[in-house]
Each structure stands twice: as structure tokens, then as C-alpha cells.
Amino acid sequence: MKTNIGVVFGGRSVEHEISVISALQAINAIDKNKYNVIPIYINKAGKWLTGDVLLEVETYKSEEKINKECTEIIIDTHSNNFNLYKKTLWSLKLIASVDVVFPVIHGSNGEDGTLQGFLELKNIPYVGSNVLSSSTGMDKIVMKMILKESGLPVVDYLWFYDKEWHTNKQEILKKINKLAYPLIVKPSNLGSSVGITTAKNEEELESAVELAGEFSNRILVEKLVSDLQEINCSVIGNSDKQNASVCEEPLKSGDILSYNDKYTTKGGNSKGMSSAKRQIPAQIAPELTKQIQELAKQTFKVLNSGGVARIDFLINKKDNTVYVNEINSIPGSLSFYLWEASDMDFAMLTSELIELALKQNREKENYMVSYNQNIFSLNTNSLKLGKG
């Protein structure tokens, strides 16, 4: 009997379209001899839909077609199952039961722990990182705090709320000037290089902060690494065991790797992160490759990550100093191109991720989450209301 895999994608995120591309790539790769795949698409308004037309990329050119040919689904509130229902005139009709949920949503409302929290409440196996690791991995500020505290190398940085920028700008500028230009300004909780710009002076800094503030209420300012080389490495596993892929060097057109570098291709036929220009394996010394792979595994473990992630590094080519830049807990295209170069094809990768999800769920069942005893059935006269 095949396992039913519900691939959840789309979502209320500025990375919506990238999620659709990654999800269709994953769906095509999943071994159909072992698994039934059920596409579960969350549109930009937050409506959950399913239907075979979601398997064709052309479908996403027309919202009208999606609404006409797909079925809006309702998920029941019971734990330990993930049943999809269609609302009829008089009742709800069961249309599918999902055994394992496979989230392929990038960015907010999906990669940031919100979807994972819902799946925890449902007590259903799901692929990837848990609530804590998803949320900390998505928040660039909290992530850097944890990595720095754990002794992992990160560039000098500071952060502030966007409201503070407007009420206490001069004090913030004094602190920023101590970092020294050039700088890089980021919203705290987005991926795919959205809202990220560099600043070589105060005028450019002000524009960069205004842009980042359009996406997040918390702004991160970092020292821009000079003579920069960016190297990425993927990791698959859990807190017990981590395997690192080969390293890649994504090729950028400017000071930093941009959204267009990652996703825009000539002719507009983007294949997500897999279509970006890159060097695989990265042309770096074996010792540096080994150092990056080890730091990637440490980062993955420190953040309690699960499934597959991509860890991005900044290298100062003058002295080969390595900094951990960020983790992507649901990387674009699930980083399949790095695993294909590491002798694991995309089908094997998705199967491994599903097996890790089932293993994680089995292990979770060993932990106590409630007591069998009902204290309300005891002598209620002795009950103390409130804590303590």
C-alpha cells in the first residue's frame, strides 16, 4: 500500500511563485511506485486547493482557471490525521487522507514555523525542520544571535526596529558608522534576497533601510565582506546525523547574489533556484571545502534543523576567512542539484526526506505530552485553582 504524501506549496509569501516551482520539481521527483502525491496549493489569499491541474506549471498563469478547476479543501480539526474534505450542499465529503505532509513553502507563513506549528497540532508526520528551528532559521537576527553564542563565525552586525529608525535615527547612525561602510541591509525574516541591498554611504543606507522596512519591522545591518566569494553547502539529516553535499559557488552579477541572479533567466523560463548560474563543485581548495562542510553540519545541528537545508557562506578571498551567512530550512529547488552532484538523485532525496519525517514522528511518540490521570475526577474539594 502506497503512502499518501501531501505536498503543500504556494502560500501568502513574496516567494509564492518560487515555492510553486520548487514544489512541482519535488512532485515530479517523488517515487510514484512508493508514494501517492496529493498537491495542496495555498493561493495568495490563503485559500487551500487541490486538483490534478495543479501539476501543470501553465495552470498558474490564470487564477480564474485555478479557482474553476480546483477543489477548495477543508481540513478537519482532529489530531493524528490529515483528511481533506470538500464542502457539499449538505455535508463534508472526504476526498483524500494524507499520511505525510511535505511542506515546500518559501518565506513567511510557511517556512517560518507557522505551518509547522499547525502540523504539530495535527500530530501528523511532516518533512523538514520543526517549529523552533524553522522560526529561528527564518529570522536572520535571532539566527545570528544563536550562531554567535555557539561560537560559529558570523560577520559583525546590529539590528533595530523600523519605528526606532524614525524616532532615534541619529543614535542608530552612530552605531552603524562604527561598523564602517560598505554595509548590507536586510529585512529580518525573508529569503531569496528579497529586500536586500548594499550601502556604500549614508545616503544609500537610508534608501536601503526604507526598502527593508517595507518587508519587516526589524532591520539587520551587516558589515559587507570585502573581496567576497559566496559558497553554499546543503545538509540533510537530523540532530543525530548530518551529511553535507558538495559545495557550490553561485555566480552573482553585482556586489551580492540578487533575486534576479537566483530566479530570472533569459526568456523568463525560470526553473527556480536550479536555474541560477553556479559553479559545481566550487573551485576552492579541498581544505576550505572540508571546513565549510563541517561548519554547515554544525550550523544545521545547532539550529536543531531537520530534513534538507542549504547553508550559505561568505568568504573573504584575501585571507579565506569563512562566515556563516544564513540557513535556508526549505531551500529553493530543495537544493537537489547539489545532491545530484553528491551521487543522490532527486527521487532518492525526496524518499530520504519522507523517511526522516516518519522517523522523527515515531521518536516524538516516545515523549510524554499529557498525563493519563484526570485531576478533575479526584476529590474536587481539594483542588487548588490557579498556578502553584
Side-chain angles (χ1 to χ4, degrees):
M1 187 174 179
K2 295 181 182 178
T3 303
N4 292 331
I5 308 298
V7 177
V8 182
F9 61 101
R12 295 172 51 243
S13 164
V14 294
E15 299 175 75
H16 180 98
E17 284 79 7
I18 309 304
S19 164
V20 171
I21 295 169
S22 291
L24 294 183
Q25 291 171 333
I27 288 171
N28 286 331
I30 290 174
D31 186 349
K32 307 304 187 300
N33 293 316
K34 296 165 63 178
Y35 307 109
N36 292 317
V37 177
I38 302 162
I40 302 173
Y41 171 64
I42 305 175
N43 71 13
K44 291 183 177 179
K47 187 185 291 185
W48 292 50
L49 302 150
T50 191
D52 289 342
V53 294
L54 294 171
L55 302 175
E56 302 296 330
V57 70
E58 292 295 314
T59 298
Y60 300 90
K61 293 181 177 178
S62 169
E63 189 174 342
E64 183 182 356
K65 178 180 175 68
I66 292 173
N67 289 328
K68 183 179 179 181
E69 299 188 24
C70 293
T71 301
E72 183 174 359
I73 56 174
I74 296 171
I75 300 167
D76 66 30
T77 56
H78 296 165
S79 293
N80 304 315
N81 65 49
F82 201 86
N83 294 330
L84 312 183
Y85 292 91
K86 174 184 178 181
K87 189 175 183 180
T88 64
L89 185 59
W90 302 109
S91 63
L92 297 179
K93 180 184 178 183
L94 179 66
I95 55 176
S97 294
V98 171
D99 300 310
V100 178
V101 176
F102 198 138
V104 191
I105 292 183
H106 303 311
S108 53
N109 302 308
E111 190 180 357
D112 57 0
T114 51
L115 175 60
Q116 290 75 13
F118 174 60
L119 299 174
E120 287 286 345
L121 282 172
K122 292 288 293 174
N123 196 28
I124 191 80
Y126 62 92
V127 169
S129 292
N130 61 24
V131 177
L132 178 64
S133 53
S134 295
S135 57
T136 55
M138 194 71 208
D139 191 296
K140 300 178 194 303
I141 296 169
V142 174
M143 175 185 63
K144 284 186 179 297
M145 290 176 177
I146 295 173
L147 296 180
K148 188 175 182 180
E149 177 66 21
S150 302
L152 290 164
V154 296
V155 296
D156 292 336
Y157 69 95
L158 60 82
W159 69 275
F160 50 88
Y161 290 102
D162 60 343
K163 290 182 179 177
E164 292 176 330
W165 175 253
H166 296 293
T167 59
N168 200 18
K169 183 186 292 186
Q170 293 308 314
E171 285 301 314
I172 292 174
L173 282 173
K174 286 181 184 176
K175 294 178 182 176
I176 289 176
N177 287 333
K178 290 181 181 177
L179 284 180
Y181 294 95
L183 301 165
I184 183 166
V185 182
K186 306 176 178 179
S188 68
N189 59 352
L190 283 178
S192 298
S193 301
V194 174
I196 296 178
T197 45
T198 59
K200 297 182 178 65
N201 51 53
E202 191 170 310
E203 183 180 0
E204 290 182 0
L205 174 73
E206 296 209 15
S207 298
V209 171
E210 292 296 330
L211 175 64
E214 292 180 11
F215 299 97
S216 173
N217 69 332
R218 295 157 70 240
I219 313 297
L220 176 67
V221 179
E222 297 175 337
K223 177 73 178 168
L224 183 66
V225 174
S226 59
D227 207 359
L228 173 66
Q229 183 178 29
E230 298 189 45
I231 301 293
N232 301 337
C233 179
S234 183
V235 174
I236 189 171
N238 52 29
S239 57
D240 297 329
K241 185 178 180 182
Q242 308 85 37
N243 292 315
S245 72
V246 299
C247 294
E248 66 162 335
E249 180 180 3
L251 303 178
K252 56 186 186 292
S253 58
D255 292 335
I256 58 172
L257 195 67
S258 68
Y259 182 93
N260 287 336
D261 290 332
K262 291 178 179 178
Y263 303 119
T264 302
T265 55
K266 192 174 183 180
N269 185 27
S270 176
K271 295 180 180 178
M273 190 64 188
S274 65
S275 63
K277 295 179 181 177
R278 54 173 53 84
Q279 181 76 50
I280 300 179
Q283 299 301 299
I284 54 178
E287 297 78 15
L288 186 56
T289 297
K290 189 175 179 180
Q291 181 186 0
I292 289 171
Q293 288 172 326
E294 187 57 36
L295 285 171
K297 290 192 288 186
Q298 290 179 29
T299 300
F300 187 93
K301 185 174 182 178
V302 161
L303 296 173
N304 192 23
S305 300
V308 67
R310 194 191 73 235
I311 295 89
D312 299 347
F313 293 88
L314 308 172
I315 316 295
N316 185 331
K317 288 194 289 186
K318 289 181 180 175
D319 56 11
N320 275 346
T321 303
V322 180
Y323 303 95
V324 181
N325 184 32
E326 62 181 16
I327 189 170
N328 301 270
S329 59
I330 304 180
S333 302
L334 303 182
S335 296
F336 78 86
Y337 46 88
L338 286 173
W339 291 103
E340 284 185 340
S342 308
D343 296 327
M344 177 187 286
D345 66 30
F346 206 172
M348 293 167 63
L349 173 64
T350 53
S351 293
E352 177 69 13
L353 292 174
I354 293 167
E355 288 303 315
L356 283 168
L358 291 168
K359 182 174 184 289
Q360 176 180 270
N361 191 257
R362 287 194 300 271
E363 292 178 349
K364 196 170 62 176
E365 294 298 315
N366 293 327
Y367 296 103
M368 182 181 294
V369 295
S370 66
Y371 294 112
N372 291 328
Q373 188 180 44
N374 181 354
I375 64 170
F376 295 106
S377 66
L378 303 176
N379 182 356
T380 54
N381 291 331
S382 64
L383 274 180
K384 295 179 179 178
L385 297 179
K387 290 184 176 180

